[in-house]
């Protein structure tokens, strides 16, 4: 067989029982990229789409030109960011355990990716709308969504704002800027563009944010979303969360021989940045830059958030079957919570003691909430919702055939 | 009353709604400047501006996906898929997103959108310009499915569809765009201008979704039909000399059970017609509903005349399209049973 006839199959650098190896990932030092003008064109975007916006250096110091975008960011706000991430992680841990105990059927954690949603959400305004995937719970936590609603959805009990209609983690929280999650990957990416177009058509100052993972960039609607954003130039931030894995599939299978996900946008004429997704400060700065651009009517922008999926894909997944067990520890961008914590300590705004105390308070708060939510029913101790609910909300008004089916059921 | 073709009636419905409701917006492939490959949106962009009526990239999933995002915010997109045969790339957005958004979000988000698509055969459209995919939509909870057969119904139903708070699939039989079609393909084509059903009131009016109409009252047999087959039914009833009651369903989902049941209980016989392929077609649902509701009134098995279970051919157009002769034979068979 000649070389020309051999197919290429991308493989991750390490499989189970091998040593984790991220040597092929180039991580530029913090502070090396300048801040482009907000009217950046796709043509001038390449250094930002192939480089990486990073602010926190190895010693936890904030360095480089992007720090200028954080001038008014107070220590209080940074501590609030740390708290958001700690809450997110505590909620994840509790709900992961709840699934292990059989109290809920399913859960998806976002461990290691907390900074992205937590920092981005804090830069939004009321009226802005996220079109998240199932791994952006951090947006909800930073939007101060009631923990009872978040957990109620996981248990599908009476506290669930969507009445037990969806799989755990498929939240919907309109008032918190969180569009209804669908199990179908990619679909929300183009819907977000439609929402943003409606913002423009209705002369509102609100914007939309689309979200997609690295694996789902392979879906048709990633292309649809980018193309329509390019054609109509609505106020939208298109976010790609590159956590290196799509269930068991190495990110190289989604990217092919392409370079970065950010650089894909350039072919559509959409400028793009690639950002250290585990650097809370970089996420704040890049989000601010992008939001200023889209709010000014300068058109869409894509951001690739570079991170690592620390946990299993879901509670139905065992990553030790396809990647080294300790791969997360070798991840060169570290842990977003640890890095922000270190920065605050270096700046004299935080301490180990305060951190331990904060963690304990948060765990306590989350456990109290969990107890309350579980008192309204869990998988093992159900308080069933009315079966008549099956028929409500299929349509605005219940048509005759649904009425008959409900009656057939005895309601 | 002015005479309108179905094309003009559909355009008039969109014109009326664009003027009436600032949330209404029209888009799709070639619908803007050019006014649509069937002229259904001709002049609308010039009248209402590019903000309200515009062209899109050739991407059906994007057309419906954008519309879902807009509808969720309260706009009322009325989008066009150029041919129903090309709706498949949008099927994910229609069935998993538009149809379920209200339900899955517990009514936090809704999807008041209309997806117009020219449907049906009888025009030498071959494989991908003739399909009738209605059964792929009637199987989806959360959708409404409409098929008009006259210019008046087309206008009134489209206005109702645009105003409806839920997603509506609006299938337009393109064989009926310019005139009624009684199945006689060798004669000269008829135009709506000299047909009573071509008379359409100007301005705003609506025809309620979910209501069938009795096209021809009769006593001996009920024919359930929609779209082009309504006219084929009329011609076949006339040819067979049977006093058939022809029910034009107009809305397939939700179905007008009351009208169907009353008719079949009266006549005791039922024949189901559609252009779409037979197996698991919408006719199967109609037959099941009728036998369940009218079993003790039935004097004969319920037959159906449909397209054959084969992809829509080109050269054998008139051997494929359910003909007046085939329908008349089925009428006879039902009457003799």
């Amino acid at each position: 067989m000649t070389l020309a006839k051999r197919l290429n199959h991308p493989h991750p650098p390490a499989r189970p029982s091998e040593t984790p190896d991220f040597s092929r990932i180039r991580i530029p030092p913090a502070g090396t990229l300048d801040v482009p003008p907000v009217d950046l064109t796709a043509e001038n975007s390449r250094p930002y789409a192939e480089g990486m916006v990073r602010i926190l250096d190895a010693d936890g110091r904030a360095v480089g030109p992007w720090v200028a975008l954080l001038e008014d960011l107070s220590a209080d706000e940074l501590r609030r960011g740390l708290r958001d991430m700690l809450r997110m992680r505590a909620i994840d841990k509790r709900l992961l355990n709840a699934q292990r105990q059989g109290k809920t059927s399913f859960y998806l954690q976002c461990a290691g990716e907390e900074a992205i949603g937590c920092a981005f959400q804090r830069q939004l305004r009321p009226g802005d709308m996220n079109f998240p995937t199932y791994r952006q719970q951090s947006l909800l936590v930073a939007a101060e969504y009631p923990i009872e609603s978040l957990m109620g959805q996981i248990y599908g009990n009476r506290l669930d704002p969507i009445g037990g209609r969806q799989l755990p983690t498929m939240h919907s929280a309109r008032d918190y800027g969180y569009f209804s999650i669908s199990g179908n990957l990619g679909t929300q990416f183009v819907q977000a563009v439609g929402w943003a177009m409606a913002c423009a058509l209705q002369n509102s100052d609100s914007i939309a944010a689309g979200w997609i993972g690295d694996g789902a960039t392979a879906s048709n609607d990633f292309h649809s979303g980018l193309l329509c954003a390019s054609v109509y130039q609505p106020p939208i931030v298109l976010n790609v969360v590159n956590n290196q894995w799509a269930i068991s599939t190495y990110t190289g299978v989604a990217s092919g021989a392409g370079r970065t996900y950010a650089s894909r946008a350039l072919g559509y004429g959409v400028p793009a940045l690639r950002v250290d997704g585990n650097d809370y400060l970089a996420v704040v700065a890049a989000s601010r830059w992008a939001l200023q651009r889209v709010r000014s009517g300068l058109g869409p922008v894509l951001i690739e958030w570079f991170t690592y999926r620390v946990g299993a894909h879901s509670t139905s997944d065992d990553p030790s079957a396809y990647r080294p067990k300790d791969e997360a520890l070798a991840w060169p961008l570290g842990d977003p919570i640890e890095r922000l914590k270190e920065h605050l300590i270096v700046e004299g705004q935080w301490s180990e003691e305060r951190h331990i105390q904060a963690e304990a308070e948060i765990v306590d708060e989350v456990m109290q909430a969990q107890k309350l939510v579980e008192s309204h029913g869990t998988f093992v101790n159900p308080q069933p919702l009315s079966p008549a609910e099956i028929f409500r909300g299929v349509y605005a008004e219940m048509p005759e055939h649904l009425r008959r089916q409900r009656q057939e059921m005895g309601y | 009353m002015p005479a309108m073709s179905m094309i003009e009636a559909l355009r008039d419905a969109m014109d009326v709604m664009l003027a009436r409701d600032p949330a209404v917006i029209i888009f799709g492939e070639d619908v803007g400047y050019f006014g649509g490959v069937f002229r259904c949106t001709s002049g609308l962009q010039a009248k209402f501006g590019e903000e309200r009526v515009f062209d899109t990239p050739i991407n059906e999933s994007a057309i419906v996906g954008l519309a879902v995002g807009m509808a969720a915010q309260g706009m009322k997109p009325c989008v066009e898929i150029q041919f129903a045969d090309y709706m498949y790339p949008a099927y994910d957005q229609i069935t998993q997103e538009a149809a379920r958004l209200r339900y899955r979000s517990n009514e936090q988000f809704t999807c008041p959108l209309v997806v117009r698509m020219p449907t049906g055969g009888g025009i030498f459209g071959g494989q991908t310009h003739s399909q009738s995919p209605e059964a792929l939509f009637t199987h989806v909870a959360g959708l409404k499915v409409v098929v008009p057969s006259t210019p008046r119904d087309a206008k009134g139903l489209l206005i109702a569809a645009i105003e409806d708070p839920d997603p509506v699939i609006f299938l337009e039989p393109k064989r009926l765009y310019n005139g009624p079609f009684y199945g006689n393909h060798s004669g000269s084509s008829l135009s709506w201008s000299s047909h009573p059903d071509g008379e359409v009131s100007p301005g705003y009016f609506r025809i309620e979704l979910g209501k069938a109409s009795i096209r021809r009252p009769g006593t001996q047999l009920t024919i359930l039909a929609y779209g082009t087959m309504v006219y084929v039914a009329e011609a076949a009833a006339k040819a067979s000399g049977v006093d058939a009651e022809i029910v034009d369903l107009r809305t397939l989902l939700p179905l007008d059970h009351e009208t169907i049941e009353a008719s079949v209980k009266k006549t005791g016989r039922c024949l189901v017609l559609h252009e779409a392929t037979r197996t698991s077609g919408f006719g199967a649902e109609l037959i099941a509903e009728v036998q369940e509701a009218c079993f003790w009134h039935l004097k004969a098995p319920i037959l159906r005349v449909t397209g054959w279970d084969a992809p829509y051919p080109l050269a054998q157009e008139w051997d494929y399209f359910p003909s007046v002769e085939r329908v008349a034979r089925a009428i006879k068979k039902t009457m003799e049973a």
Side-chain angles (χ1 to χ4, degrees):
Chain A
M1 194 162 72
T2 63
L3 198 62
K5 285 184 179 167
R6 198 170 299 146
L7 295 179
N8 175 60
H9 294 280
H11 298 293
R15 287 297 194 186
S17 81
E18 293 177 333
T19 308
D21 175 14
F22 289 115
S23 59
R24 74 169 75 172
I25 293 176
R26 280 197 6 259
I27 307 288
T32 51
L33 261 188
D34 63 349
V35 182
V38 285
D39 61 353
L40 177 69
T41 61
E43 287 72 27
N44 295 329
S45 229
R46 196 160 287 282
Y48 310 98
E50 291 181 348
M52 202 180 292
V53 176
R54 306 186 66 221
I55 290 180
L56 289 171
D57 70 9
D59 301 321
R61 304 215 174 263
V63 299
W66 285 82
V67 177
L69 279 94
L70 306 176
E71 265 172 1
D72 62 332
L73 191 68
S74 67
D76 272 345
E77 283 173 286
L78 282 179
R79 280 188 290 263
R80 191 181 61 185
L82 186 63
R83 185 167 283 274
D84 287 342
M85 291 197 285
L86 286 170
R87 285 181 90 223
M88 182 67 255
R89 193 162 289 181
I91 290 167
D92 262 359
K93 274 190 185 158
R94 297 301 310 170
L95 292 174
L96 191 64
N97 281 341
Q99 193 278 336
R100 294 294 181 234
Q101 295 163 353
K103 291 175 180 172
T104 180
S105 58
F106 182 75
Y107 191 66
L108 276 152
Q109 38 170 347
C110 66
E113 303 175 29
E114 294 92 343
I116 300 161
C118 285
F120 185 86
Q121 178 64 44
R122 290 285 182 188
Q123 313 314 312
L124 295 178
R125 294 183 194 158
D128 294 342
M129 185 61 69
N130 285 297
F131 284 70
T133 76
Y134 45 66
R135 218 182 294 283
Q136 268 77 52
Q137 310 92 306
S138 52
L139 294 166
L140 278 178
V141 169
E144 297 182 15
Y145 187 53
I147 201 166
E148 292 76 15
S149 302
L150 191 150
M151 287 188 162
Q153 198 281 330
I154 304 303
Y155 294 108
N157 65 22
R158 232 162 290 176
L159 295 182
D160 178 3
I162 54 172
R165 285 169 160 76
Q166 285 234 71
L167 201 66
T169 69
M170 309 258 171
H171 302 280
S172 179
R174 185 173 187 134
D175 296 341
Y176 294 82
Y178 200 88
F179 190 74
S180 161
I181 306 267
S182 164
N184 296 61
L185 292 192
T187 49
Q188 80 288 347
F189 210 62
V190 63
Q191 292 166 6
V193 177
W195 182 285
M197 288 169 72
C199 290
L201 287 166
Q202 296 177 335
N203 274 323
S204 106
D205 293 326
S206 298
I207 62 105
W211 294 86
I212 201 164
D214 52 304
T217 60
S219 69
N220 307 320
D221 282 334
F222 176 68
H223 160 74
S224 306
L226 261 173
L227 176 65
C228 292
S230 169
V231 170
Y232 301 110
Q233 300 282 307
I236 185 160
V237 182
L238 297 159
N239 299 281
V240 179
V241 179
N242 177 2
N243 68 14
Q244 318 300 324
W245 290 98
I247 307 186
S248 75
T249 307
Y250 163 59
T251 191
V253 177
S255 65
R259 283 182 281 195
T260 66
Y261 292 102
S263 61
R264 290 199 172 174
L266 310 188
Y268 292 88
V270 173
L273 308 175
R274 196 164 66 130
V275 180
D276 178 347
N278 289 17
D279 177 342
Y280 188 90
L281 295 186
V283 180
V284 172
S287 302
R288 286 181 168 189
W289 181 90
L291 290 164
Q292 195 200 332
R293 175 192 167 86
V294 304
R295 280 198 213 285
S296 310
L298 294 166
V301 61
L302 182 139
I303 304 176
E304 174 184 348
W305 306 102
F306 205 66
T307 185
Y308 182 80
R309 195 195 78 210
V310 170
H313 163 72
S314 73
T315 49
S316 307
D317 173 49
D318 173 15
S320 72
Y322 52 81
R323 69 183 190 188
K325 249 193 175 110
D326 49 354
E327 199 178 61
L329 297 173
W331 177 244
L333 294 174
D335 178 89
I337 294 179
E338 289 303 315
R339 286 174 68 192
L340 182 58
K341 173 190 161 193
E342 190 190 3
H343 170 67
L344 281 165
I345 291 174
V346 165
E347 293 289 313
Q349 298 291 346
W350 198 241
S351 66
E352 286 292 351
E353 295 71 40
R354 287 178 76 181
H355 193 80
I356 289 166
Q357 196 191 337
E359 264 186 321
E361 282 169 16
I362 286 167
V363 169
D364 189 53
E365 175 215 3
V366 170
M367 280 177 69
Q368 293 304 321
Q370 187 179 19
K371 227 179 257 178
L372 171 83
V373 176
E374 288 183 355
S375 73
H376 289 267
T378 67
F379 224 55
V380 286
N381 182 24
Q383 293 181 19
L385 300 168
S386 167
E389 282 289 289
I390 290 172
F391 304 99
R392 188 177 58 78
V394 181
Y395 298 93
E397 280 180 50
M398 197 177 295
E400 183 57 26
H401 67 290
L402 283 183
R403 214 172 289 281
R404 287 183 187 181
Q405 287 171 34
R406 194 184 62 180
Q407 280 162 4
E408 189 183 325
M409 207 186 194
Y411 291 90
Chain B
M1 229 184 281
M4 287 187 196
S5 70
M6 189 181 282
I7 290 168
E8 289 164 332
L10 291 164
R11 185 193 305 149
D12 197 38
M14 287 184 267
D15 192 335
V16 165
M17 290 312 294
L18 280 163
R20 211 175 144 87
D21 185 347
V24 174
I25 182 166
I26 311 274
F27 55 93
E29 297 156 13
D30 303 297
V31 308
Y33 182 84
F34 178 62
V37 295
F38 291 107
R39 318 308 301 148
C40 287
T41 54
S42 176
L44 295 180
Q45 186 182 75
K47 185 168 174 186
F48 294 96
E50 221 170 10
E51 301 270 284
R52 308 281 308 279
V53 183
F54 57 85
D55 291 315
T56 64
I58 303 173
N59 183 330
E60 287 76 15
S61 180
I63 292 169
V64 179
L66 293 177
V68 171
M70 291 180 184
Q73 202 173 124
M75 299 197 75
K76 292 177 186 156
C78 175
V79 303
E80 180 181 301
I81 302 288
Q82 203 158 75
F83 287 85
D85 315 63
Y86 301 133
M87 67 81 185
Y88 301 95
Y91 199 60
D92 193 22
Q93 288 284 354
I94 292 172
T95 61
Q96 312 270 51
E97 301 291 325
R100 297 187 188 167
L101 187 56
R102 175 187 293 277
Y103 191 73
R104 77 170 197 235
S105 71
N106 201 6
E107 312 203 49
Q108 288 177 8
F109 298 93
T110 61
C111 201
L113 77 85
V114 179
V115 186
R116 293 178 41 240
M117 46 183 102
T119 187
I123 55 148
F124 283 99
Q127 309 239 317
T128 55
H129 298 79
S130 308
Q131 295 172 31
S132 299
E134 61 271 17
L136 295 172
F137 297 117
T138 53
H139 193 52
V140 180
L143 295 180
K144 295 185 178 176
V145 181
V146 176
V147 191
S149 69
T150 70
R152 180 182 171 275
D153 283 358
K155 181 177 170 182
L157 289 166
L158 184 55
I159 287 174
I162 292 171
E163 289 186 334
D164 197 274
D166 292 309
V168 180
I169 304 299
F170 199 90
L171 294 156
E172 302 165 1
K174 55 191 167 298
R175 177 70 243 199
L176 303 179
Y177 267 164
N178 290 307
F181 179 65
Y182 291 91
N184 177 11
H185 50 88
S186 53
S188 58
S189 54
L190 303 166
S191 108
W192 284 117
S193 59
S194 52
H195 194 281
D197 289 325
E199 285 177 13
V200 181
S201 307
Y204 174 90
F205 72 91
R206 50 182 286 163
I207 294 172
E208 201 183 336
L209 303 188
K211 297 284 177 218
S213 81
I214 307 285
R215 292 280 310 183
R216 182 194 183 281
T219 55
Q220 293 178 286
L221 163 78
T222 297
I223 300 180
L224 303 179
Y226 51 92
T228 311
M229 293 311 290
V230 167
Y231 299 92
V232 178
E234 281 182 19
K238 203 169 165 186
S240 61
V242 170
D243 185 23
E245 178 148 298
I246 299 170
V247 180
D248 178 359
L249 298 174
R250 300 199 291 195
T251 300
L252 308 189
L253 182 67
L255 196 59
D256 185 348
H257 294 272
E258 209 180 316
T259 301
I260 294 170
E261 210 177 307
S263 177
V264 178
K265 281 184 175 168
K266 179 177 72 178
T267 62
R269 287 184 163 85
C270 181
L271 180 65
V272 169
L273 308 184
H274 58 62
E275 288 182 58
T277 51
R278 173 179 306 222
T279 302
S280 298
F282 189 63
E285 180 63 30
L286 289 172
I287 292 169
E289 285 292 333
V290 170
Q291 82 81 23
E292 199 172 310
C294 311
F295 185 79
W296 300 108
H297 295 79
L298 286 172
K299 298 171 197 153
I302 309 160
L303 299 183
R304 56 186 148 162
V305 181
T306 70
W308 306 115
D309 281 339
Y312 208 109
L314 178 77
Q316 302 95 331
E317 173 91 65
W318 303 116
D319 298 309
Y320 186 92
F321 185 91
S323 64
V324 173
E325 294 69 33
R326 271 178 69 200
V327 176
R329 270 202 304 278
I331 290 174
K332 202 171 161 218
K333 200 171 163 189
T334 309
M335 293 310 298
E336 286 167 359

